[in-house]
Every structure is written in structure tokens, then in C-alpha cells.
Amino acid sequence: MLKGKTIILGVSGSIAAYKAVDIARRLIRDGATVKVVMTSSATKFVTPLTFRTLTKQSVATELFTENSKSKICHISLSDEADIILVAPATANIINKTANGVADDLLSTTLLAADVPIIFAPAMNSKMYLSEATQKSLNRLKAFGFRVIEPTLGELACGEEGVGRLAEVDTIVEVIKFETAKEKDLKNRSVVVTAGGTREEIDPVRYISNRSSGKMGYAIANELTKRGAKTTLISAPTYLPTPQNVNFISVSNASDMQREMLQYFDKCDAVIMAAAVADFTPAEPVSKKIKRNKTGNFSLKLKSNPDIIKELGRIKKKQILIGFAAETEDLIENARKKIEEKNLDLIIANDVSKPEIGFEEDFNEVTILNKKGIVKKVPRMTKREIARIIVDKLVDVLD
Ligand code: CTP
């Protein structure tokens, strides 16, 4: 099942380092090539020779090596890998990675990596539950890394608590799952929209909304990671442009609709994560509107096109996924929208809840199809939600 996959196993200095030997053995048994990178403190618990004998690969421990022929360096290492697993991951490597610190071979490899990264933490429970470590873990999740939560039990220091490395079986299963689904959207073409559209009133003013674009960008990133040819049609945001997407920048709803129609015919699916303004100024003006004598000003608005509804009307085989941003009757309203707009899936979220939804890194959603609720997704990072949404898209496409 892991045949042809190259896994970098990062081992950091925890008493659980000996379990990494078993992890390596299991991954190899399933067909993977395992290349081990050890931190200097990890070598105090297990010797590089143990891993070298087991994996039949040289074990990397040093950032700077005098052997110029050695292909092992922080860049080529991550280039060769399909996935990186850090197990056990200490508080040190977690906190360093979350802050972009690169001061040894493992942390440098992680910073340079362009492949999925999975952390399996193991440490004393106080260290694990500390504010710093928890914040770092949330950051890592927001970066798109996966964390295999540690379990509860007796720890090396004799205390009971959370911090034991997850079971080897669990870790191996996660690796199989993550590598199997890696390119499951190869040969598929998906269009994603993101951000809040800006409806121009005059050259300096516009009407918009609180959408940050984070959800749509996370979806676009996930799609490219999974091999899809991805077009991201984005209203203005403050986010960095994702790598390897066909990026189309638009401002208002009409522009977004025009661009969408360029790509719709040839795509397999559309995910409308954009918050499209329902109204636009009826008569935008080309000169800045001046303050008038009465001090009052009224603006006449007209309806914008409902982009996804129009796609629902003309669609052939394309899968349509919409969002329903609601402040009341979440499920009821989402059900109505899926019918009215002829969608395959809808992602409903309650935008009235603080700390989820608009502008936040976290969200909590319910995914529905025409028959009803498919999945309730509890509060988690938008990256993780993007992964679940893309999983559901794959299910519908199959
Ligand atoms: N949408 C769209 N074009 C619009 C408005 C919305 O394509 N002019 C899409 C959104 O991108 C989203 C879905 O329709 O995927 C639902 O958007 P939402 O704002 O929740 O619903 P509306 O249809 O605008 O209805 P209402 O504002 O009344 O809740």
C-alpha cells in the first residue's frame, strides 16, 4: 500500500524515540522507503545505526556535512519525499516549526518542505498543555500540517496525563490515508471562488463584506496538493497567492461571473466560497461623490447576478458546491439554497458565532446534499475543513 512512497521520518529527542524504530519497521513492511532525520538529542535515545540497519538508508543528523557528494541536505531531502512524519515530535520541534526556526537539519527540512507534514507529539503533559505548545499546534494546523493527537496514560516522568505518543497502528494508518489520497484529483479541473466582492460606488468607495477569503484559499491549496488543475477566481484579499493555481483576480460580482463562465464548460467542479454581494450600486459614478448640503445621501442598489444559481441552471456534469452563510435557521436555509440553486453539496456555517466563520482561521460547518446532512464538522482550522470538503467532492465525483 505504501509501495513507491518515500517517507521522511523525523525523530526528535523524546523517550518515545524508540517507538520510531517500530514505526519505521512498519512503514518499510508496507513497501515504503524510509529516510530518517534525527535531531542531535534523538541520537541520545536511539543510535543512527539502528535506523540505518533497519531502513538500509543513510541516516541524516547534521545540517552541515563535509561530504559534498552527499545528496542529503535539507532541500534535496524534502524534494525526494512524498510525506514527512515527525514522530515523536517534542515540544521543542513543534514550537520551533510553528515559528519558522531552522537551526538544525530536521527543522530546516521542515521549513523547506513542500509536501504534507504530519506531527505525532510526545512529551510531558504540562509541556503539551502549555499555552505556548497549544498555540504552536494550532498554528501548525493552520499551516496545513496534520497533528496526530497524543493519548492519555502513564508518561516517562511517572505522571499520568496526555502526552503519550499515539499508537504506532494509528500513526501508520494516518500515513497510509494521507499518501493514498494525495493525488486523487489528478486529471480533474476545479474552479474555486474566494473573498468578498467589491461593488464600486465611485472611484474611492465600495460596498463589500467581511469575508477574508481564507476558506476559499485553503480549498484551492488543498485541491492543488491533491493534483487538481485549480483555477482560483478571487475577489480582493490580503492573502498570499497560492502556488500552482491559475489565479484570476476580480473585483465585483459581474467580473467574477464573467471569468467563471470562461472556465465553467471545461471544469469538473465549482466551489463557490466567495461571498458575492447580492446588490450593487444601480448607477456607479466615475467621479468621487462630494458631500452635499443636506448632509444626507441615499444610494440606489440593484440586484447582482446569482452566479452559482445560473451555473445550477446551465450545468451538465459539473459538480456544484456552494456555501450558505447564515445567522439563523442554518440547516433550513441551507436546504432551501441547495434546492433553489441546484447544487450537489452545500457547506452551511453560522456566521453569527464569534471565533468561527468570517475573518477567523477556524470554522464549524455542516455539509449537506439534496437528501440531507452528510457531515457535521466541529470547530477546526479552515485548512482541515478544506481537506474534508475536498474529500466530499472526491466522493461525489467518483
Ligand atoms: N452566491 C452567488 N452569487 C450571488 C450570491 C451568492 O454565486 N450573487 C453563492 C455564494 O458564493 C454561496 C451561495 O451562493 O456559495 C450562497 O450564498 P449566500 O450569501 O449564503 O446566499 P444568498 O443566495 O446570497 O442568499 P441570502 O443572502 O438571502 O442568504
Side-chain angles (χ1 to χ4, degrees):
M1 195 171 178
L2 291 170
K3 208 162 182 284
K5 305 280 181 205
T6 299
I7 299 164
I8 291 182
L9 175 58
V11 184
S12 57
S14 145
I15 179 77
Y18 75 93
K19 294 187 187 167
V21 176
D22 200 23
I23 296 172
R25 195 177 55 76
R26 294 278 304 277
L27 296 173
I28 293 165
R29 202 175 68 193
D30 279 318
T33 302
V34 177
K35 297 193 172 183
V36 176
V37 178
M38 299 178 81
T39 62
S40 128
S41 33
T43 62
K44 307 259 171 20
F45 291 94
V46 186
T47 67
L49 184 63
T50 310
F51 285 111
R52 192 163 75 219
T53 313
L54 182 71
T55 62
K56 302 190 174 54
Q57 303 281 333
S58 46
V59 172
T61 53
E62 301 286 328
L63 183 54
F64 301 108
T65 152
E66 282 171 27
N67 179 1
S68 58
K69 280 194 197 137
S70 167
K71 275 199 75 187
I72 292 179
C73 81
H74 52 290
I75 308 295
S76 62
L77 257 175
S78 49
D79 279 353
E80 290 167 18
D82 291 288
I83 198 161
I84 301 180
L85 166 68
V86 186
T90 56
N92 189 38
I93 192 73
I94 288 168
N95 288 313
K96 279 201 313 193
T97 313
N99 291 289
V101 176
D103 62 355
D104 63 5
L105 183 61
L106 181 57
S107 53
T108 315
T109 303
L110 293 172
L111 192 62
D114 195 16
V115 292
I117 299 178
I118 299 179
F119 282 84
M123 68 196 77
N124 164 277
S125 61
K126 287 199 188 101
M127 288 171 89
Y128 176 71
L129 295 171
S130 74
E131 201 180 339
T133 306
Q134 287 301 312
K135 278 202 168 141
S136 294
L137 286 166
N138 280 341
R139 267 192 111 180
L140 293 181
K141 290 178 192 169
F143 291 162
F145 302 170
R146 181 152 178 192
V147 176
I148 308 175
E149 304 296 341
T151 58
L152 209 72
E154 195 186 332
L155 303 169
C157 51
E159 285 175 25
E160 279 277 323
V162 64
R164 275 171 67 93
L165 184 72
E167 293 303 323
V168 173
D169 276 349
T170 311
I171 295 174
V172 173
E173 277 316 305
V174 171
I175 295 289
K176 283 186 187 166
F177 179 75
E178 291 295 328
T179 49
K181 74 177 188 190
E182 253 318 284
K183 302 285 177 204
D184 53 2
L185 283 170
K186 215 171 153 188
N187 303 325
R188 298 288 194 177
S189 162
V190 185
V191 185
V192 186
T193 64
T197 62
R198 285 184 182 176
E199 309 299 322
E200 298 82 10
I201 299 169
D202 70 10
V204 296
R205 303 180 177 96
Y206 56 81
I207 302 172
S208 193
N209 55 66
R210 288 178 51 204
S211 170
S212 64
K214 286 178 183 168
M215 193 67 246
Y217 277 51
I219 293 171
N221 273 318
E222 179 67 17
L223 288 165
T224 39
K225 264 197 335 202
R226 311 251 302 244
K229 190 165 163 266
T230 308
T231 297
L232 174 60
I233 305 177
S234 177
T237 73
Y238 294 100
L239 303 171
T241 307
Q243 298 291 307
N244 305 320
V245 304
N246 174 26
F247 185 76
I248 317 269
S249 167
V250 297
S251 181
N252 58 38
S254 301
D255 294 347
M256 187 171 271
Q257 184 182 42
R258 191 190 59 243
E259 292 297 336
M260 173 60 82
L261 293 173
Q262 302 276 334
Y263 291 92
F264 187 60
D265 265 1
K266 292 205 180 84
C267 76
D268 296 295
V270 168
I271 305 180
M272 278 293 294
V276 185
D278 287 326
F279 304 99
T280 194
E283 290 133 13
V285 292
S286 57
K287 297 232 162 62
K288 186 179 169 202
I289 298 167
K290 288 294 194 191
R291 200 193 286 266
N292 64 24
K293 285 198 188 90
T294 66
N296 296 329
F297 175 67
S298 51
L299 187 63
K300 198 168 165 209
L301 302 175
K302 64 175 185 189
S303 266
N304 256 337
D306 187 330
I307 304 174
I308 207 166
K309 190 171 180 183
E310 176 60 12
L311 300 181
R313 197 180 63 76
I314 61 172
K315 78 169 176 180
K316 295 185 186 96
K317 276 181 163 166
Q318 295 91 334
I319 301 299
L320 289 186
I321 303 183
F323 276 73
E326 308 293 344
T327 52
E328 57 195 345
D329 303 328
L330 181 72
I331 304 299
E332 180 65 21
N333 282 327
R335 275 182 202 277
K336 272 191 209 148
K337 282 181 190 168
I338 203 168
E339 282 301 332
E340 279 170 16
K341 303 191 186 209
N342 191 20
L343 309 181
D344 297 279
L345 290 173
I346 198 155
I347 320 299
N349 67 330
D350 183 343
V351 286
S352 68
K353 286 194 182 172
E355 291 189 35
I356 55 164
F358 284 144
E359 295 167 327
E360 296 294 333
D361 285 326
F362 290 82
N363 209 347
E364 178 186 308
V365 301
T366 304
I367 304 178
L368 299 98
N369 64 15
K370 280 192 177 148
K371 292 194 195 125
I373 294 176
V374 175
K375 192 174 174 80
K376 282 193 170 185
V377 185
R379 183 180 185 272
M380 57 177 77
T381 65
K382 288 186 174 171
R383 292 267 199 158
E384 290 171 296
I385 293 191
R387 190 151 45 205
I388 294 172
I389 293 171
V390 174
D391 285 347
K392 294 292 160 215
L393 168 65
V394 170
D395 289 348
V396 186
L397 278 169
D398 280 348

